[in-house]
Amino acid sequence: MRGVAVVGIGQTGYQTNFDETYPELVYRAARLTLDDARCRLADVDAVVMPMAPEALSGVVQADQWVVDAAAAIGKPYMRINTGGSTGLMAVEAAYWHIASGLADRVLVVGADKVRESGSAQQVLNMIWDPFYERAMPLNTITMLAFQAVRFMEKYGVGEEEMARVAVKNRLNGTRNPMAHLREAVTQDEVLASRRIAWPIKLYDCCPQSSGGAGVLLVAEDCLPKDSPKPAWITGLGCSAETYWMGDRMGPAAIGDHGEAPALQESSLLAYKMAGIENPAQQIDVAELYAPFSNTELHAIPDAGLCAPEEVASRLWRGEFDFDGRMPVNPSGGVMCANPISVTALVRVAEIALQLQGRAGDHQVPDVRTGVATGNGGDHQFFGTMVLSNEQRGPKI
Amino acid sequence: MSQIELGHVVGVAHTTWRFNQDADTLEEEIFHCVQRALANAGLSMDDVTGIVTGSSDQLDGRSISMMLTSGSVGGPGREIVNVSSSGEHALVLAAMRMASGRQRVHLVVSWGCPSEADLDALDVLKCEPFFLRDLGVGRIAAQAMAASTYVDRFGLDVDMLTSFVDSLGVRDPSESLNAEWLSWPIRSIDLPPLVNGVTALVLGTNDVARDLGQRSVRIAGMGWQSGSYRLEDREYNTAASGADAVRRAMIASGSTLEQCVATEWHFLNPFHAFETIEALDLAPPGGGATWFPAQIAKGNFGTSYAGDTLFSTGLDRVAALVDRLIGFADARRDGSVGPVSGLAHAVNGFTGQGGTAFVMEVSK
């Protein structure tokens, strides 16, 4: 199968809102990406757009509105929608365009303006079924508060560990000029911050962000002249949990809401494809989709980077810090910027930047292999992507 | 012939149920349709390795529709992804996954459930907020703008043109007499009937298709592309992307339209039908209506006038083509064994903004 690499990366930076319209943000992200790749628009074969949920933008099927801005007129175009994991799934869809031989260069570009919706959590309440869960009322924060409680009970971690994750990521965000939140917080400040849904407090949460991002994927035999060093996609996988959170709890559960079996499965698929047998040893850096501090605590072991019983002790030893043995979210991660439609795409982009040696102040030294993950729905749709600075034949 | 193996359709099921009819829930309809497609293939869910769904959140009334419906298609524990640009794009993505060698048996499912949506509200919310929304240029008004441009361009008789719908024989011509004008030159009778529906296809590799030992329909080529959102930038043409997609699919398959023994078309209204045929050079400019009588007489084509779900109609055209090609091959009495090809055409986006086409081939 053909090798596929990320070569161009564009990010507008992330903040609460922009004066630019939604198409203008998408256009800027597309322009930045193509310029970065030294690729002409005419040389792009297809465009894939991540967008979810579209209700946040206030325009039904807004992807149709931004086809022009995404440089997709007259080109094959499709939109991927799997909730928060959409950005990574869109990169995966673009990968199949090239791996199948149907395209040589595919642009993945999108944007989000979460604050346009007024209350994102009101929109997100409507992801649940109208008969049982919508009325509770669930939103993504209360859903993940349940997750936190279960993980805390099962593995003996607590609010102190959650706060430690927040402190780490917010410090990392100070080094990333694209991050929405760029101020460090202390352990005490996190623990004293306003309670949102116990045990999640304000500083355990991601911000509501706006911004655009894109990546250009290119076949091994079609790399643009003078483009940045390729970051090869060597493994990918996705999997899903049951929709019903009740089915992830209790003695008859088919999953465990405290963890993410589907992330374990997607990661196994990706590692197998990449020929990675021991991710804890072979992965140099990780960008894990974790919008709340507690979700990073389960994502690290679910991505195979340590055993779940070890995550707290390794966290306190600083192993996941920027200068630790296994830096997790050196960009600050989702806790420092969450423009939902492109958040998981940014995870891939950040790993690519690390592999290309272009991550600036948050560059981790000697990165050869990295992993990015995405998570969407009600902790339901997971994707994992392994990237390397060495081209290896993927094992399908 | 395409060198890229996009997979074989080894199982198919599609179901429509009309508005305001007591029926199963959407999740139940999807589940039953998927089970029927698997049974049609002689396979079970245990054989499925990958799934692509196509869903529209707003039509289904949920912020992320595929969350709930994922279970109905067997999503948990499988490599599942969802597209929301159009139902037939689910087949495009699945075929690319098949071509890459990642999947052995792949499920493709899409649906549309317009009875559950406030279509007038969606019409407004689908318009971008700066120009079109204030003007109220929704689905039907936009089609009417394009249709009136077509009529004016060629100085055509609207009553003559819209009799096309009657000629399809999908409803009683007497209904046309009192059909209300929705937005000139489009009357209620000109639009395909809205239906709720689910379509499921099972794709298999060459090996799977061979091992099953029954007729399967190979995806010989496919094409898809988008045009501008802005009708004025398309000179009010609604057919160009669909026609370009057909050309892409034909090139990919190495076939020609003339070689297709069956065709399935996704038409928004009669004027869009005529423009599509003209864009493919099957009829002269302004003469699209003249192409249809002979085709209708041959009985080798179908259209979205069988029912339009507003989202999965394109994939439903593919399913209808699969049925038609297998029926054609089964009924062949002349002793020939060569492949027969057919075309499925679909449009998506804002008033014909995007187009998709598949050339399918059955042989035995």
Side-chain angles (χ1 to χ4, degrees):
Chain A
M1 199 169 65
R2 303 171 93 191
V4 181
V6 175
V7 293
I9 296 163
Q11 299 186 72
T12 62
Y14 311 104
Q15 57 195 49
T16 301
N17 215 335
F18 286 83
D19 287 339
E20 292 159 282
T21 65
Y22 182 55
E24 287 169 339
L25 270 180
V26 172
Y27 172 78
R28 187 148 67 94
R31 186 76 269 166
L32 287 166
T33 306
L34 294 177
D35 286 350
D36 184 57
R38 318 290 197 270
C39 180
R40 299 181 308 156
L41 176 58
D43 294 328
V44 173
D45 297 322
V47 177
V48 180
M49 180 167 201
M51 179 187 284
E54 66 190 35
L56 291 173
S57 70
V59 179
V60 169
Q61 291 176 301
D63 55 303
Q64 298 168 5
W65 177 29
V66 297
V67 160
D68 307 54
I73 294 176
K75 297 180 189 297
Y77 168 83
M78 67 171 60
R79 170 194 162 195
I80 303 297
N81 171 11
T82 57
S85 59
T86 292
L88 188 140
M89 299 295 195
V91 179
E92 178 176 330
Y95 179 93
W96 298 124
H97 280 63
I98 296 173
S100 66
L102 288 170
D104 295 328
R105 299 178 181 88
V106 181
L107 174 66
V108 187
V109 66
D112 220 327
K113 297 191 76 174
V114 175
R115 284 302 288 267
E116 294 289 277
S117 62
S119 169
Q121 290 302 331
Q122 190 170 7
V123 170
L124 293 169
N125 171 250
M126 295 187 69
I127 63 179
W128 275 283
D129 90 279
F131 303 111
Y132 300 103
E133 294 176 318
R134 193 179 290 180
M136 284 181 68
L138 279 174
N139 57 40
T140 53
I141 304 173
T142 51
M143 166 188 77
L144 292 172
F146 286 139
Q147 187 279 330
V149 171
R150 171 63 178 150
F151 191 83
M152 289 162 68
E153 182 208 56
K154 190 170 182 180
Y155 294 109
V157 302
E159 294 173 74
E160 294 277 348
E161 282 75 18
M162 290 169 59
R164 178 69 176 80
V165 171
V167 169
K168 169 184 73 74
N169 287 338
R170 292 290 294 272
L171 179 61
N172 288 349
T174 65
R175 304 185 189 95
N176 178 5
M178 297 293 165
H180 182 175
L181 302 182
R182 299 192 60 207
E183 293 179 350
V185 294
T186 67
Q187 184 86 2
D188 289 343
E189 286 172 332
V190 178
L191 290 169
S193 63
R194 179 164 59 92
R195 183 175 294 168
I196 304 296
W198 186 85
I200 296 176
K201 293 169 286 297
L202 182 64
Y203 288 174
D204 291 310
C205 301
C206 62
Q208 293 183 16
S209 307
S210 299
V215 293
L216 182 75
L217 268 57
V218 180
E220 59 184 311
D221 48 341
C222 298
L223 295 172
K225 189 179 178 185
D226 302 326
S227 68
K229 187 172 80 171
W232 299 99
I233 297 173
T234 55
L236 47 83
C238 59
S239 189
E241 311 270 353
T242 172
Y243 168 72
W244 301 101
M245 280 192 290
D247 288 346
R248 302 181 208 150
M249 303 173 185
I254 55 174
D256 190 324
H257 191 50
E259 299 163 341
L263 179 55
Q264 297 167 18
E265 291 159 8
S266 67
S267 298
L268 283 174
L269 286 167
Y271 293 141
K272 181 180 178 186
M273 183 174 168
I276 289 178
E277 296 174 347
N278 185 349
Q281 296 296 322
Q282 293 174 265
I283 298 292
D284 300 314
V285 64
E287 282 282 342
L288 306 181
Y289 192 104
F292 300 91
S293 58
N294 55 294
T295 52
E296 186 170 306
L297 289 170
H298 83 78
I300 291 170
D302 286 335
L305 304 180
C306 77
E309 297 81 4
E310 299 173 351
V311 68
S313 59
R314 289 179 183 267
L315 178 75
W316 288 116
R317 287 202 296 269
E319 292 190 20
F320 309 125
D321 289 356
F322 178 70
D323 56 356
R325 191 184 64 78
M326 169 71 73
V328 173
N329 293 327
S331 69
V334 187
M335 287 188 66
C336 290
N338 190 10
I340 298 175
S341 290
V342 294
T343 298
L345 182 155
V346 173
R347 308 278 68 73
V348 176
E350 284 290 343
I351 291 298
L353 286 171
Q354 292 285 349
L355 290 162
Q356 293 171 328
R358 298 197 297 157
D361 290 344
H362 62 290
Q363 177 70 49
V364 174
D366 303 324
V367 173
R368 290 168 299 172
T369 304
V371 64
T373 67
N375 169 9
D378 64 333
H379 214 233
Q380 185 180 6
F381 302 110
F382 290 86
T384 304
M385 191 167 288
V386 178
L387 294 98
S388 171
N389 59 11
E390 296 171 17
Q391 185 182 2
R392 301 186 207 121
K395 297 171 182 173
I396 291 292
Chain B
M1 181 179 292
S2 171
Q3 298 302 306
I4 298 173
E5 290 297 338
L6 299 168
H8 295 248
V9 178
V10 297
V12 62
H14 47 134
T15 178
T16 60
W17 71 102
R18 294 188 179 278
F19 274 39
N20 304 322
Q21 177 181 321
D22 287 338
D24 291 341
T25 64
L26 175 62
E27 306 90 87
E28 290 165 332
E29 290 283 353
I30 293 169
F31 173 79
H32 292 314
C33 190
V34 166
Q35 294 301 315
R36 283 176 42 216
L38 289 167
N40 181 246
L43 297 168
S44 75
M45 187 56 79
D46 290 341
D47 298 306
V48 174
T49 55
I51 303 166
V52 182
T53 58
S55 67
S56 165
D57 295 342
Q58 303 300 340
L59 274 181
D60 295 349
R62 298 187 175 95
S63 287
I64 306 174
S65 168
M66 66 103 59
M67 287 172 54
L68 180 57
T69 50
S70 166
S72 303
V73 302
R78 290 188 174 82
E79 288 203 271
I80 182 170
V81 67
N82 179 66
V83 300
S84 285
S85 39
S86 72
E88 71 272 11
H89 284 173
L91 178 57
V92 170
L93 181 54
M96 289 192 285
R97 281 172 140 191
M98 295 291 292
S100 304
R102 176 77 159 199
Q103 306 290 342
R104 181 174 156 79
V105 175
H106 206 296
L107 197 54
V108 181
V109 193
S110 186
W111 55 87
C113 202
S115 72
E116 300 306 297
D118 180 341
L119 296 180
D120 290 338
L122 289 188
D123 255 4
V124 173
L125 290 169
K126 197 169 180 179
C127 296
E128 51 80 17
F130 300 107
F131 300 102
L132 290 183
R133 192 173 291 182
D134 282 348
L135 292 171
V137 183
R139 178 174 62 99
I140 294 170
Q143 289 186 36
M145 289 166 66
S148 62
T149 303
Y150 176 82
V151 169
D152 284 349
R153 185 177 297 149
F154 300 108
L156 301 173
D157 179 343
V158 171
D159 288 337
M160 182 273 290
L161 293 179
T162 54
S163 63
F164 157 80
V165 178
D166 297 336
S167 69
L168 293 175
V170 293
R171 62 179 94 181
D172 185 345
S174 64
E175 290 180 43
S176 300
L177 297 175
N178 297 313
E180 63 172 326
W181 290 102
L182 296 177
S183 184
W184 191 89
I186 290 179
R187 299 174 299 172
S188 58
I189 198 76
D190 293 329
L191 300 180
L194 294 184
V195 295
N196 298 335
V198 184
T199 300
L201 302 177
V202 183
L203 302 185
T205 60
N206 288 344
D207 290 347
V208 168
R210 186 190 59 235
D211 293 347
L212 287 171
Q214 59 200 31
R215 280 200 201 284
S216 63
V217 178
R218 190 174 78 92
I219 304 172
M222 60 186 185
W224 73 108
Q225 76 169 51
S226 184
S228 174
Y229 175 79
R230 300 187 181 285
L231 267 175
E232 62 271 28
D233 287 352
R234 292 186 255 146
E235 298 181 331
Y236 296 90
N237 185 305
T238 58
S241 289
D244 284 344
V246 170
R247 280 188 276 271
R248 284 176 183 265
M250 290 297 169
I251 291 168
S253 66
S255 302
T256 65
L257 254 174
E258 290 71 25
Q259 292 173 315
C260 292
V261 300
T263 53
E264 285 284 341
W265 302 89
H266 182 178
F267 294 141
L268 302 174
N269 58 60
F271 310 97
H272 172 245
F274 307 148
E275 277 195 304
T276 299
I277 296 310
E278 294 163 28
L280 290 168
D281 297 326
L282 296 173
T290 62
W291 183 80
F292 287 95
Q295 301 302 316
I296 293 169
K298 287 182 193 170
N300 64 350
F301 92 129
T303 73
S304 46
Y305 282 87
D308 187 353
T309 68
L310 293 181
F311 189 78
S312 59
T313 307
L315 192 65
D316 200 46
R317 302 272 56 76
V318 176
L321 178 66
V322 169
D323 285 345
R324 196 180 288 273
L325 285 175
I326 288 178
F328 187 94
D330 285 345
R332 192 157 48 180
R333 296 283 184 269
D334 59 4
S336 59
V337 293
V340 292
S341 301
L343 169 78
H345 157 270
V347 292
N348 56 68
F350 188 70
T351 316
Q353 180 183 4
T356 313
F358 301 89
V359 176
M360 315 290 286
E361 185 179 276
V362 61
S363 61
K364 191 161 186 180

